[in-house]
C-alpha cells in the first residue's frame, strides 16, 4: 500500500478505524486474510484473523462496510467504494 492519509473516527475502536482506512486506501474488496495481513503489516500489529473479524463486524453493523460472497470466498469493501465485489 502506498502512502495514504489516515482518518481516525471518535465513534469506533482504533483497530476498526484502521481496517476502514485500509479498505478506503485499497479501494477494492478484500478477504479477511488480506485485511489481516495488511493490518498487521501497516500498523505493526499481530492480530489473529478471529480478532480482526470482530473489529470488521463492527464496521458491518455500523454500515461502514459490506460483505459479499463470491464462490467460496467472502469479500469486504467499504460502503461507497467504487470496487466491484
Amino acid at each position: 500500500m502506498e502512502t495514504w492519509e489516515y482518518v481516525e473516527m471518535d465513534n469506533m475502536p482504533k483497530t476498526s478505524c484502521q481496517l476502514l482506512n485500509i479498505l478506503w486506501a485499497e479501494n477494492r474488496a478484500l478477504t479477511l486474510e488480506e485485511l489481516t495481513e495488511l493490518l498487521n503489516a501497516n500498523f505493526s500489529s499481530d492480530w489473529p484473523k478471529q480478532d480482526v473479524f470482530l473489529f470488521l463486524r463492527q464496521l458491518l453493523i455500523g454500515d461502514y462496510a459490506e460483505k459479499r460472497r463470491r464462490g467460496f470466498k467472502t469479500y469486504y469493501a467499504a460502503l461507497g467504494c467504487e470496487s466491484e465485489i
Side-chain angles (χ1 to χ4, degrees):
M1 186 171 8
E2 296 179 21
T3 303
W4 43 277
E5 188 174 327
Y6 179 79
V7 177
E8 192 162 334
M9 301 172 80
D10 293 336
N11 63 339
M12 69 176 62
K14 183 177 180 178
T15 304
S16 293
C17 196
Q18 291 170 340
L19 287 170
L20 187 56
N21 276 274
I22 289 169
L23 289 170
W24 285 334
E26 290 292 317
N27 198 31
R28 64 185 176 94
L30 299 166
T31 63
L32 179 59
E33 291 78 15
E34 290 172 314
L35 279 167
T36 302
E37 183 179 309
L38 287 167
L39 176 69
N40 289 333
N42 286 292
F43 294 100
S44 301
S45 54
D46 191 26
W47 289 103
K49 266 189 336 187
Q50 297 82 359
D51 291 345
V52 172
F53 178 73
L54 295 176
F55 289 107
L56 184 57
R57 195 171 83 185
Q58 291 178 333
L59 295 177
L60 296 170
I61 291 169
D63 287 331
Y64 292 101
E66 64 180 341
K67 147 178 128 168
R68 297 247 176 102
R69 290 193 183 274
R70 186 172 182 187
F72 292 108
K73 291 198 174 206
T74 303
Y75 291 87
Y76 302 90
L79 285 178
C81 183
E82 296 179 16
S83 69
E84 288 291 321
I85 295 181

